[in-house]
Structures are given as structure tokens and as C-alpha cells.
């Protein structure tokens, strides 16, 4: 879904055009309805919310990228995510097809594992090819150096949404704006076959693409998880795989703070490391495979407690009844008590150091503030792009909070200067960061990007009635239960959590067992 995800799918075209054998097609037929279609018919259009899978018996279909003959099938990852269609499908040779609705498709995925794996690999390959393709149905024009543009680009990347991104300052970006009679005041802009969206936000675009929560015709879910970081994603995988109707909500996008990590090298099973975005992207697909629903951005405003079910109130007023709730909202980024800090967030101050942020500061001097592993990983990653990296650490010893393997790499890297016992006193610049004022230094430090990794505070402002400690973290017992029946907390939001990706994954998965026990008690 991002450019490094799923390297095990080596032959993308072959995976994308996989066909079912006659025996497999016979098994799949039990889940669908056979229809006769004629050449020239459009089975669905770009932007439709239809989530049916279409298998070819004798007909031949074309989706703009590939032709699917007998045994082939039309559809891509949107069939799992609920996103509106990225491609139109046309009948090019008359014949018969099998139409499998979303509910039956989920049942097929669960019961016919070999077919489920075949479909999933094909969907992932098609999504990857869609993102690599020159022609996209969604075009975004924005300034990646602005807070609004960066937020939109991060959302699109984390969700793995096919799109064409154009820098508003480029020749192509200016041309597209002029043709649509748009100006810089309209940025960022999203152009789809159906509409042009001015000053578009992740929430508006998500709603247009069908990724937000839709409550029509829904009942109570067994398990609602708030927060789609590693802990929440693990809970979604285990909840859905164990038969619970599972809904995962996040106010930004899947991945949480883990998705901002440029490289994780100490996660079990990945000796050569992987990016946080790669890890959480895989987890999201895994949750979707087992039938979990993921809705983002869907900010939760409040939790209303009940005897047999709780109700989550979304920021747009939507109410979601749930038999059990897992709180996995993690922590919110800390800020320094510096004038205009909030103004510069997204405009030169960043809380992530992925390729998206790094590309925006290529060839420029940058600074990283923080003394733990995330700051060390960011420094090493940014050194590949920036003209120079200055690592600013308030404490006197870099080894105090950072893993020794990171410290040794940083000290050996001539592209990184380490300043211990140093604090930031001021930030210079107009619309964007240009310099930093530091303690113990007379001259301002030239800086075009400040990457802040100084810790976080618990994201629990929306919780009422759930017991918190003095720092705002949720108090739980050893089974992740809070003081409210059938409300659990896992990951960084929980008091005493280890603040490690592996620990968060373990907590999220283990909490599902406690959910099963709690639900059994109220049946």
C-alpha cells in the first residue's frame, strides 16, 4: 500500500491477474448469484459505494488496467475497506458472471482460506499498481510545506489511497489550478471525477471516498476500539479473528505514532527492520482480512456508559452502541513553551520523520529535539536527506534514554551533530521555521525543519467516568480492565505501559481475551 509494503508480492501483474481454477470457481459459486451480462454494459462506475465482488464465468471484463476472462475477478482493496470504487468495470465480451455481495464475500474470506489469500494478494497488487500508475481518479494539489497540505498527504499515505499528488508550486500544479479556475486560496484541492473540493481536509476527503463511519442500518457492535495504533490494530485483528463484530476508529488515520517511525529494528521477526508505516499498514490489512471495519478519521468526543452496552459519541454527533470498548488512543504530542510553537506545527515543526516529511527538507539543515529512541531513529533517517542534522538533547548523557546501538551509529555519523545539555529558547521565521535560538549558543542555528520527539501526554480528554492517574493515564488491572465494566485500556494510554511497539501489540491482543470474559458475564 505504500511504496515499501508487501515486498513478498514480487510479480505484481501476475498477482493482480490471478485466476481461479474450475474447482475454486465452483466453491466460490456457493456464495454468489449468477447473472448474464452483455458487451458494452458498465457493471459499476468510479465513485460508486458498491462492494460486490464479480467473478467471471464465461464473460470478459475490463477495469481500465486489466482484462479479466473466465476465472478472473474484478475488484480491489476497496472491497475490504468499504472505500468507493477506484475503477469502472465494463463488459467486453458477453457471458455470465457471479456476483458476491459484501456479507457473503466476508463469509467466503473466513471459510475458504485459500480463496481468501488469493483475493487478498490480488487486491494488494492491484492497489499497489494503482498507486504507481500515472493515471489516477483523484488528483490532489497542495503545498506539502503547509500544515494543511502535509496533513492531507500523511492521511493519503497512511490509508494507502491511490492518488496523484501535485505540488502547487510546480508547473503541472499551476496548470491544473489554472484549468480548474482555482487559486492558492483554495489549497489544498482534491479533484475527482465527481467534484472539485476546495480547502479539503482529511475528514472531508474521507467522507467523499466512503471511509468514514456510516451508521445507516447498523446495530450494536460487539467491540469498538478507539485508536488505531499498534495496540488498537492488534485488538482489531484478534477481536475480528475470534468472531467479534469489531469496529476500529481513529481521529487521524491508521498507524498512530508508530507510523511516524522511520525504522524499527528491534521488533521481533524483522531482523533487517521495517518502517512503522509498513508495520501498521500490514496490521490494518490483516484486520480487514478477518472482517474488522476501520473508519478514519472518526474522532470520538465522549463515552456514554450503559448497563449492557456503551455508546461512543463521534465528533459529528453520530452514536455508536458497543457491548465492549477498548481505549487505545495513545498519547498526544508534547509542545515546548516557546512563542509561536503552535503556528509552526506543520509549517516547519514536525512530529514525524517519514519520507514525506524528509523529502520536504531535502538539502536543508534540520534539527531533532529529544533524547529517546524515536529521536535517534529520526536523526539517522533525516541525515540521508538533509544537508546536516543537529540532535538537541536536554540531558547530559545521550545513553540515558536511547538504545546503545542507535547512540553508536549517531556518534559515528559525520552528518549529525549532537548537542547535549542544550534547550531550545526560541524559533525564528515568518510562515516557516528558519532558525533556532539555543542555550549556550550566541548565534542562531540555521534550521528549516524542527523534528520534535519530546514525549507525549495521555489522550484521555474525551473520557468521563473512567479512572485516571494524576498524569491523565488510564488506570487498569492486570487484565486491562478499567473501573467501568466492559471498558478496557491498552498501549500508551494506560498507566504503567512500557511505551514499546511490541508491548502495545501484546496488550491489544491479550485484552481481547478479557473482552470475551466480560461479554460472557452479561449474556
Amino acid at each position: 500500500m505504500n511504496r515499501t509494503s508487501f515486498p513478498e508480492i514480487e510479480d505484481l501483474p501476475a498477482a493482480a491477474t490471478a485466476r481461479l481454477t474450475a474447482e475454486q470457481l465452483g466453491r466460490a459459486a456457493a456464495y454468489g448469484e449468477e447473472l448474464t451480462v452483455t458487451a458494452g454494459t458498465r457493471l459499476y462506475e468510479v465513485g460508486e459505494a458498491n462492494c460486490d465482488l464479480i467473478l467471471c464465468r464465461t464473460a470478459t471484463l475490463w477495469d481500465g488496467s486489466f482484462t479479466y476472462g473466465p476465472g478472473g475477478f474484478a475488484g480491489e482493496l476497496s472491497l475490504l475497506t468499504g472505500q468507493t470504487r477506484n475503477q469502472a468495470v465494463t463488459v467486453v465480451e458477453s457471458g455470465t458472471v457471479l456476483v458476491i455481495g459484501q456479507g457473503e464475500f466476508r463469509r467466503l474470506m473466513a471459510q475458504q482460506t485459500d480463496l481468501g489469500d488469493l483475493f487478498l494478494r490480488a487486491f494488494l497488487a492491484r492497489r499497489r499498481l494503482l498507486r504507481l500508475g500515472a493515471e489516477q481518479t483523484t488528483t490532489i494539489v497542495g503545498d506539502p510545506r503547509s500544515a494543511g497540505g502535509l496533513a492531507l498527504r500523511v492521511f493519503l499515505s497512511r490509508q494507502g489511497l491511490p492518488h496523484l499528488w501535485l505540488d502547487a508550486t510546480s508547473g503541472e500544479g499551476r496548470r491544473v489550478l489554472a484549468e480548474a479556475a482555482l487559486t492558492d486560496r483554495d489549497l489544498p484541492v482534491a479533484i475527482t471525477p465527481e467534484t472539485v473540493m476546495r480547502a479539503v481536509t482529511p475528514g472531508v476527503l474521507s467522507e467523499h471516498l466512503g471511509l468514514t463511519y456510516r451508521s445507516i442500518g447498523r446495530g450494536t457492535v460487539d467491540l469498538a476500539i478507539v485508536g488505531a495504533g499498534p495496540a488498537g490494530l492488534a485488538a482489531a485483528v484478534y477481536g475480528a479473528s475470534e468472531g467479534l463484530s469489531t469496529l476500529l476508529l481513529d481521529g487521524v488515520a491508521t498507524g498512530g505514532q508508530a507510523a511516524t517511525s522511520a525504522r524499527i529494528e528491534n521488533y521481533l521477526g524483522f531482523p533487517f527492520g521495517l518502517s512503522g508505516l509498513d508495520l501498521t499498514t500490514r496490521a490494518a490489512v490483516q484486520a480487514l482480512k478477518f472482517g474488522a471495519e476501520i473508519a478514519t478519521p472518526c474522532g470520538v468526543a465522549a463515552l456514554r456508559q450503559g448497563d449492557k452496552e456503551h455508546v461512543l459519541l463521534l465528533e459529528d454527533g453520530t452514536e455508536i452502541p458497543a457491548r465492549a470498548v477498548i481505549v487505545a488512543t495513545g498519547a498526544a504530542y508534547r509542545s515546548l513553551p516557546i512563542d509561536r510553537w503552535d503556528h509552526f506545527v506543520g509549517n516547519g515543526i514536525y512530529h514525524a520523520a517519514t519520507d514525506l516529511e524528509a523529502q520536504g527538507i531535502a538539502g536543508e539543515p534540520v534539527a531533532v529535539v529529544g533524547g529517546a529512541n524515536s529521536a535517534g531513529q529520526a536523526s539517522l533517517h533525516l541525515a540521508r536527506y538533509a544537508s546536516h542534522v543537529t540532535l538537541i538533547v536536554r540531558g547530559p548523557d545521550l545513553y540515558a534514554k536511547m538504545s546503545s546501538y542507535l547512540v553508536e551509529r549517531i556518534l559515528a555519523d559525520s552528518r549529525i551533530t549532537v548537542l547535549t545539555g542544550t534547550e531550545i529558547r526560541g524559533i525564528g521565521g515568518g510562515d516557516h521555521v528558519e532558525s533556532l535560538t539555543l542555550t549556550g549558543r550566541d548565534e542562531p542555528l540555521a534550521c528549516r525543519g524542527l523534528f520534535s520527539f519530546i514525549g507525549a501526554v495521555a489522550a484521555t480528554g474525551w473520557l468521563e467516568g473512567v479512572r485516571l492517574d494524576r498524569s491523565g493515564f488510564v488506570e487498569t488491572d492486570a487484565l486491562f480492565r478499567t473501573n467501568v465494566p466492559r471498558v478496557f485500556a491498552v498501549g500508551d494510554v494506560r498507566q504503567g505501559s512500557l511505551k514499546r511497539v511490541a508491548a502495545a501489540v501484546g496488550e491489544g491482543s491479550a485484552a481481547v481475551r478479557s473482552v470475551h470474559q466480560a461479554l460472557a458475564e452479561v449474556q
Side-chain angles (χ1 to χ4, degrees), residues 51-67:
C51 290
D52 297 339
L53 175 70
I54 300 180
L55 302 178
C56 302
R57 273 199 180 275
T58 61
T60 301
L61 309 177
W62 181 67
D63 66 4
S65 298
F66 295 104
T67 299

Side-chain angles (χ1 to χ4, degrees), residues 413-433:
D413 197 322
S414 61
R415 300 167 299 180
I416 302 173
T417 296
V418 179
L419 300 179
T420 56
T422 304
E423 297 185 43
I424 301 174
R425 291 303 189 197
I427 302 175
D431 292 334
H432 299 274
V433 172

Side-chain angles (χ1 to χ4, degrees), residues 424-489:
I424 301 174
R425 291 303 189 197
I427 302 175
D431 292 334
H432 299 274
V433 172
E434 296 178 6
S435 64
L436 303 177
T437 302
L438 306 178
T439 57
R441 186 185 181 101
D442 295 332
E443 296 294 324
L445 176 71
C447 175
R448 299 298 182 268
L450 173 60
F451 294 80
S452 178
F453 299 91
I454 56 174
V457 294
T460 53
W462 59 282
L463 284 174
E464 291 186 11
V466 176
R467 187 178 299 122
L468 310 177
D469 68 9
R470 286 186 294 180
S471 299
F473 292 90
V474 180
E475 295 183 355
T476 71
D477 62 12
L479 299 178
F480 310 105
R481 296 176 297 197
T482 71
N483 63 300
V484 179
R486 304 184 315 285
V487 174
F488 307 83

Side-chain angles (χ1 to χ4, degrees), residues 233-484:
L233 285 164
V237 168
Y238 279 81
S241 66
E242 294 176 12
L244 299 176
S245 59
T246 303
L247 173 64
L248 177 62
L249 306 168
D250 195 280
V252 180
T254 54
Q257 291 190 32
T260 69
S261 179
R263 188 173 178 84
I264 301 172
E265 292 189 77
N266 56 0
Y267 190 76
L268 186 67
F270 293 90
F272 302 107
L274 76 171
S275 72
L277 181 58
D278 199 358
L279 175 66
T280 54
T281 296
R282 290 167 179 261
V285 171
Q286 198 171 11
L288 291 168
K289 170 186 174 180
F290 286 119
E293 180 182 358
I294 302 176
T296 62
C298 285
V300 178
L303 170 65
R304 190 166 66 237
Q305 302 167 23
D307 292 334
K308 291 191 175 181
E309 66 180 32
H310 303 302
V311 176
L312 291 172
L313 179 65
L314 302 186
E315 292 175 351
D316 65 1
T318 301
E319 295 185 351
I320 301 175
R323 298 175 64 207
V325 175
I326 291 180
V327 179
T329 46
Y333 299 110
R334 290 184 185 275
S335 60
L336 290 173
I338 294 173
D339 187 39
R340 301 183 73 206
W341 178 277
D342 291 341
H343 165 78
F344 285 119
V345 171
N347 297 308
I349 293 178
Y350 308 105
H351 295 290
T354 67
D355 287 343
L356 290 180
E357 291 83 9
Q359 289 164 6
I361 52 81
E364 302 283 356
V366 303
V368 177
V369 58
N373 281 2
S374 55
Q377 292 162 347
S379 299
L380 290 167
H381 184 64
L382 291 168
R384 296 163 49 197
Y385 295 84
S387 61
H388 195 76
V389 177
T390 302
L391 176 57
I392 302 168
V393 183
R394 183 176 61 179
D397 183 9
L398 195 57
Y399 284 93
K401 296 182 179 180
M402 191 178 296
S403 297
S404 59
Y405 80 92
L406 287 175
V407 175
E408 291 166 5
R409 290 181 188 177
I410 289 169
L411 295 179
D413 197 322
S414 61
R415 300 167 299 180
I416 302 173
T417 296
V418 179
L419 300 179
T420 56
T422 304
E423 297 185 43
I424 301 174
R425 291 303 189 197
I427 302 175
D431 292 334
H432 299 274
V433 172
E434 296 178 6
S435 64
L436 303 177
T437 302
L438 306 178
T439 57
R441 186 185 181 101
D442 295 332
E443 296 294 324
L445 176 71
C447 175
R448 299 298 182 268
L450 173 60
F451 294 80
S452 178
F453 299 91
I454 56 174
V457 294
T460 53
W462 59 282
L463 284 174
E464 291 186 11
V466 176
R467 187 178 299 122
L468 310 177
D469 68 9
R470 286 186 294 180
S471 299
F473 292 90
V474 180
E475 295 183 355
T476 71
D477 62 12
L479 299 178
F480 310 105
R481 296 176 297 197
T482 71
N483 63 300
V484 179

Side-chain angles (χ1 to χ4, degrees), residues 126-180:
R126 292 173 188 177
R127 174 58 64 91
R128 176 72 189 280
L129 289 168
L130 273 174
R131 295 200 69 192
L132 293 175
E135 297 296 327
Q136 299 289 354
T137 58
T138 299
T139 298
I140 309 293
V141 185
D143 180 358
R145 294 162 294 279
S146 70
L150 181 61
L152 192 60
R153 200 170 187 191
V154 167
F155 168 75
L156 290 163
S157 175
R158 289 198 193 178
Q159 297 300 115
L161 298 174
H163 67 282
L164 174 64
W165 173 274
L166 296 177
D167 190 321
T169 62
S170 69
E172 182 67 8
R174 305 312 300 176
R175 182 189 65 79
V176 170
L177 289 176
E179 289 180 353

